[in-house]
Amino acid sequence: VTTWNAKHPYLYTLALNLVDKNGNTVEARSSKIGFRDVRFSEKNALLINGVPVKLIGVNRHDHSPTGGKTVTRAEMEKDIFLLKQNNFNSIRTSHYPNDPHIYDLCDKYGLYVIDEANIESHGVRGELANDPTWTASTMDRVIRLVERDKNHASIISWSFGNESGCGPTFAGMSGYVKDFDPTRFIHYEGAQGDPNHPEYAPIGSKKHKEFNAKYHSNPTDPPYVDVLSRMYPHLEQLEGIATSPFINRPILMCEYAHSMGNSLGNLKEYWDLIYAHDNLIGGYIWDMIDQGIERTAKNGKKYFAYGGDFGDTPNDQNFCINGVFNSDRGLRPQTYECKYVFQPVVIKAVDLKKGIIEIENRYNFTNLSNYMFTWEVVENGKTMQQGEFKGPDIEPGKKGNAKSGYKQIKPKAGNDYWVQVKMFSTKNEDWAEAGYQIAEEQLIIQDSKPVLDAVKTTAPEIAENEAAITLKGNKFSATFDKQTGALSSLNYNGLKVIEKPLVPNLWRPPTDNDSRGWKTPEKLEVWAKSKETITLESISAQKQGDVVVITIKRIIPNAGNIEENYTVYGNGIIDVDFNLQVEESAPELIRVGMQAGINKAFVNARFYGNGPHENYIDRNQSAFKGLYAMKTNALTESYVKPQECGNRTGVEWLELKTENGKALKVEAKDKIAFAVWPFTEENLSTSNFTWELEEAEYYTLNIDLIQAGVGGIDTWSIKARPIQNYRLLEKNYSYGFRLGLANASTP
């Protein structure tokens, strides 16, 4: 017998013939069936056909941007293809049995399924589970689910519904299903026992800290479920459960990594934990697709509508906008992060100068010899050598070395070098043609710190009056406003660069995680209002040899002090140094940077840093260092409810160019982050829909040292805040960058 698994979904055709007493066929039917075995190991790993498997899952709702809950078969198939293409292997049918066609597709193309009953009593929690008058109707839903779907090979687990508390009714369901079908495991997250158990204490509380010291000394989850299921656990909680000596069941996150708006930070940290522990069998991101409905606004712009747009009151506003994919099934920055974190190989350096790498095969049933790999040796973003090699003979779950075949290199001082390795399919699949890229890794050979070129010019002329300090040099002029201390005007050879002054920027338009869970507008109010409350303490201009230094000191009441130094050269180059000293009593920061409005003529962009897609410090595993070029407008990411967007990390330089070739160049003294928006921060912060975003008369340019992460645990509690590693908790921040006119090459 050839067994079925999600990677190789082998199906047999079962033919049934009904014949009469004379042997004539009266009716004939056929069905696709598969054979597979589901069980748990002694270490509580999930075994499919005896092989350990991690469930790389997503919660799926029926959704069409034009049909709502009326989903076509083509859209269903597109869902399956998207998941396969982005390295998912499982879905949970949250929170109802799906159209039977979905299970046929999962059988055919290969996805593991947790099949969930349509039971939900969130508002009253476990009241119905403990009310005998509801037992029959509740049991009926589970019985019908199991009876209808029992022959699908893709279904590996029955789930008894969602967020309906705990009680005898669910114990009865389990008794029935275990007797009727012992081949699949029972899941129900609501079966958690005592809600006063310390596990449920708020993160950071004394009760929770005590619990961290000894997780589950008295586990209370009822025995009628086969796995311990948790929603949105903090990383410490997940690790604590995994390492507890008192727990002897597999652990599954039926919901985690709430992908609402600009989110899905720290996904890597979750999966580092999952791969480190046999009994962490995987998780299901909430959720797959933004559930927006396509509409056309009164100004003619198309957008995705959400709660409250249909005369519906009450509503949850945009709380159905939390997908890994857009409402129209388009890709998002989160999609790329998922594809990378979930990719089936881990590629590490052994001896990069000789081209030797180590590859770990995370496939469960496939040898890497079935794939093709390519490599590029890159210097400062430009390819030096390239080639390919056949996938090495590495069995599932094993590691081995591979030699790429490039010539040994001798890195030059001051240059960056890396190897870019990509993995491709070699045969056509139903969901992707041969040559589809499955995985990618960047291995750094040498990462040099940026060095700004020395500048030799004569000092610019200084003109000062009560209102401003103006500097003039060779075909340039710069003006500093003495009331605000801002660089208010910058002109190069007749090209006006600055349309809105360059000022400190210590805030970001709140993401859903920021506003709903972290509540940054209230908790970080001093930074939210800093542009309004900041006062100028002093501004001075001093000629120092061949340069002029403008020193600006500012005070943010009850928050901190800022000192900016602008070193201005006679050819128009300006070096900016920024230092922020935060008061001990001030709350943590969310952004450290500067912002200006720049000429809308800069329609083309190039940058050298992490990209090409939007990325943040806790969601940039999939964004590789490189040299990228695109239209300036393409730097902005469109979220259904507008919010902070478009950031790029690890940037060494940014070049913004006009159509006639003039370019503004921003060069980092170390590394910076940047974002460019075609609208104002105020517009971005106050708009509820994309159709409300209006093209400004300038681009908003953010030049940052750093931003806090976007968070990725939930969106409604303090856990929405980024994890500790990605918060801005220091009290002193300094960085620098250079502004100048560049002779830009063609992107």
Side-chain angles (χ1 to χ4, degrees), residues 29 160 221 439 461 633:
R29 297 288 181 93
F160 291 164
D221 286 42
E461 298 176 0
N633 277 344

Side-chain angles (χ1 to χ4, degrees), residues 605-607 627-631 747:
R606 288 202 314 162
F607 69 93
L627 180 60
Y628 302 105
M630 62 192 71
K631 289 293 183 181

Side-chain angles (χ1 to χ4, degrees), residues 337-410:
E337 194 76 354
C338 288
K339 182 176 181 178
Y340 173 82
V341 172
F342 300 154
Q343 66 188 21
V345 290
V346 179
I347 302 172
K348 295 182 178 179
V350 176
D351 188 340
L352 290 182
K353 292 180 181 179
K354 295 181 179 179
I356 302 173
I357 59 176
E358 176 192 85
I359 306 178
E360 176 185 349
N361 183 3
R362 280 183 171 171
Y363 276 128
N364 309 118
F365 302 98
T366 304
N367 192 300
L368 291 186
S369 61
N370 296 303
Y371 298 90
M372 180 63 67
F373 289 76
T374 65
W375 55 266
E376 290 179 82
V377 179
V378 183
E379 179 185 39
N380 294 340
K382 297 181 180 179
T383 301
M384 299 171 60
Q385 302 178 43
Q386 59 186 347
E388 61 182 37
F389 62 93
K390 187 178 183 296
D393 181 13
I394 301 175
E395 293 291 335
K398 303 297 183 182
K399 300 177 183 179
N401 286 353
K403 197 170 190 310
S404 66
Y406 60 79
K407 297 178 182 178
Q408 186 170 349
I409 64 169
K410 295 180 180 180

Side-chain angles (χ1 to χ4, degrees), residues 116-131:
E116 188 155 280
N118 52 332
I119 297 172
E120 169 102 40
S121 61
H122 194 135
V124 295
R125 294 295 180 179
E127 183 176 331
L128 304 187
N130 291 274
D131 185 343

Side-chain angles (χ1 to χ4, degrees), residues 272-348:
D272 285 347
L273 268 179
I274 291 169
Y275 279 114
H277 300 282
D278 290 339
N279 60 349
L280 293 179
I281 64 172
Y284 293 80
I285 292 173
W286 190 270
D287 58 10
M288 181 177 173
I289 304 171
D290 281 353
Q291 285 122 63
I293 301 296
E294 188 177 294
R295 287 286 186 269
T296 301
K298 56 188 177 183
N299 61 4
K301 293 182 179 179
K302 286 192 174 183
Y303 72 104
F304 291 112
Y306 51 75
D309 292 341
F310 311 95
D312 50 319
T313 302
N315 62 77
D316 272 344
Q317 299 174 21
N318 64 319
F319 214 76
C320 60
I321 307 295
N322 36 38
V324 171
F325 302 94
N326 286 324
S327 300
D328 60 2
R329 292 170 169 76
L331 306 188
R332 305 176 64 197
Q334 288 91 322
T335 315
Y336 303 117
E337 194 76 354
C338 288
K339 182 176 181 178
Y340 173 82
V341 172
F342 300 154
Q343 66 188 21
V345 290
V346 179
I347 302 172
K348 295 182 178 179

Side-chain angles (χ1 to χ4, degrees), residues 659-691:
E659 291 287 13
N660 62 8
K662 293 182 179 179
L664 172 68
K665 193 166 188 178
V666 182
E667 298 178 84
K669 290 194 174 180
D670 192 345
K671 290 181 181 178
I672 57 173
F674 83 89
V676 182
W677 307 322
F679 26 74
T680 67
E681 180 181 323
E682 293 75 18
N683 187 206
L684 186 61
S685 299
T686 57
S687 295
N688 290 313
F689 305 95
T690 52
W691 66 263

Side-chain angles (χ1 to χ4, degrees), residues 487-501:
L487 175 60
S488 58
S489 174
L490 181 60
N491 291 273
Y492 289 117
N493 199 21
L495 174 66
K496 185 179 182 182
V497 173
I498 289 182
E499 300 284 353
K500 187 178 179 183

